[in-house]
């Protein structure tokens, strides 16, 4: 399975680079890499596991870029990242227990709501606003909950972290993006550990795509820091709507099955 044809390897490398670029700014890279691996003929379980491996490079690369420019303090935010990882571990372990069909059914509408919020809120920029809950409460509640979701299902995790940081923690858009990537790195680590335990990692493909993710995330994060909310907001809106549309277009989506569409 790891000895794919050269043109498929090139296809996966390009897909991972694009995913790294988009994910470092607005999240949603998984909606590119997961279908790409499935198209290449990789089985679903190995696709999910390998996606977490290559995703580590993208989220880690973006995190380092934002940290170097002072947009996130890794030492101060380490407890949040650990809570995100813990939630992701539980989510990955309990994936067979959680009603996945319900999550898949409501996710497109949650993503559309996020897109509308960021698209229609006029005064959202890079300046911090008033926070609604303390960092301690935020760390103990929303962070592990979103991390849990990432372990169970995954798509849209970055959008949910962004929404939480902006609406509850009062972060500006660029600062929220930087912190989102660190917590996304934590949730990737947690889920990766579970998939590693079950042997669902294709190492050669994952590492190759990881290099592409790393490079794409470097380009994307630097572009985001240069443009700030002017590029992050529109891309977040577009990615959220595109992900919602892709989920609803899937013939196996629970809502389409329930409605007979």
């Amino acid at each position: 399975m790891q000895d794919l044809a050269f043109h498929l390897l090139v296809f996966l490398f390009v897909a991972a680079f694009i995913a790294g670029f988009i994910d470092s700014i607005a999240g949603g890279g998984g909606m590119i890499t997961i279908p790409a691996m499935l198209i290449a003929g990789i089985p679903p379980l190995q696709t999910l596991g390998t996606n977490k491996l290559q995703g580590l490079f993208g989220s880690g690369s973006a995190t380092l870029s934002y940290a170097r420019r002072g947009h996130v303090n890794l030492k101060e935010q380490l407890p949040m990242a650990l809570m995100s990882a813990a939630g992701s571990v539980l989510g990955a372990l309990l994936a067979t227990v959680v009603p996945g069909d319900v999550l898949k059914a409501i996710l497109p509408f949650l993503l559309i709501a996020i897109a509308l919020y960021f698209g229609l809120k006029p005064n959202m920029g890079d300046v911090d606003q008033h926070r609604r809950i303390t960092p301690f409460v935020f760390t103990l509640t929303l962070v592990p909950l979103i991390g849990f979701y990432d372990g169970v299902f995954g798509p849209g995790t970055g959008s949910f972290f962004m929404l939480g940081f902006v609406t509850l923690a009062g972060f500006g858009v660029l600062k929220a993006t930087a912190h989102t990537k660190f917590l996304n790195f934590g949730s990737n680590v947690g889920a990766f550990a579970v998939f590693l335990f079950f042997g669902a990692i294709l190492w050669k493909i994952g590492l190759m795509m990881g290099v592409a993710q790393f490079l794409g995330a470097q380009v994307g994060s630097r572009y985001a820091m240069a443009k700030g909310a002017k590029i992050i907001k529109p891309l977040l809106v577009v990615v959220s709507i595109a992900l919602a549309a892709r989920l609803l277009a899937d013939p196996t989506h629970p809502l389409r099955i329930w409605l007979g569409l």
Side-chain angles (χ1 to χ4, degrees):
M1 179 55 61
Q2 302 209 50
D3 297 325
L4 295 177
F6 179 74
H7 71 280
L8 290 177
L9 293 177
V10 173
F11 167 68
L12 291 177
F13 188 91
V14 172
F17 180 89
I18 296 172
F21 179 88
I22 293 175
D23 201 63
S24 67
I25 300 173
M31 79 172 183
I32 297 174
T33 53
I34 289 178
M37 283 188 276
L38 292 173
I39 290 171
I42 300 173
L45 181 61
Q46 283 72 25
T47 290
L48 292 176
T50 306
N51 186 63
K52 289 302 179 187
L53 169 60
Q54 58 96 31
L56 285 172
F57 287 82
S59 56
S61 173
T63 297
L64 290 176
S65 289
Y66 289 124
R68 287 196 191 104
R69 299 290 186 90
H71 296 293
V72 57
N73 186 312
L74 301 184
K75 185 176 181 180
E76 288 182 1
Q77 299 304 317
L78 183 59
M80 278 194 187
L82 292 175
M83 290 300 293
S84 179
S88 182
V89 167
L90 292 176
L93 288 173
L94 298 177
T96 57
V97 179
V98 173
D101 283 351
V102 175
L103 284 174
K104 292 179 183 178
I106 65 175
L107 179 60
F109 304 101
L110 293 176
L111 289 168
I112 291 171
I114 289 173
L116 290 173
Y117 178 84
F118 280 97
L120 299 177
K121 192 171 177 60
N123 60 342
M124 186 182 298
D126 292 325
V127 179
D128 290 0
Q129 305 292 327
H130 174 70
R131 69 186 184 197
R132 291 178 171 82
I133 62 175
T134 65
F136 180 76
V137 174
F138 187 82
T139 301
L140 291 182
T141 56
L142 197 67
V143 170
L145 182 63
I146 297 176
F148 179 84
Y149 164 78
D150 193 25
V152 173
F153 192 45
T157 298
S159 299
F160 294 137
F161 273 132
M162 279 285 292
L163 184 65
F165 276 123
V166 171
T167 60
L168 298 179
F171 285 10
V173 173
L174 179 58
K175 183 178 178 180
T177 301
H179 285 68
T180 287
K181 296 326 300 173
F182 189 32
L183 298 198
N184 213 169
F185 177 75
S187 65
N188 280 338
V189 169
F192 169 74
V194 174
F195 285 117
L196 178 63
F197 178 79
F198 286 102
I201 310 291
L202 300 180
W203 286 95
K204 292 180 181 179
I205 294 174
L207 292 174
M208 179 206 69
M209 294 181 71
V211 171
Q213 275 262 8
F214 183 93
L215 296 174
Q218 284 289 307
V219 176
S221 57
R222 293 179 185 186
Y223 187 64
M225 286 184 283
K227 300 295 183 180
K230 290 186 295 184
I231 183 62
I232 296 172
K233 279 181 58 179
L235 193 56
L236 181 64
V237 171
V238 170
V239 167
S240 295
I241 292 176
L243 181 53
R246 183 188 169 277
L247 289 169
L248 290 173
D250 185 355
T252 65
H253 189 272
L255 193 61
R256 296 188 63 170
I257 294 175
W258 298 337
L259 296 177
L261 299 176

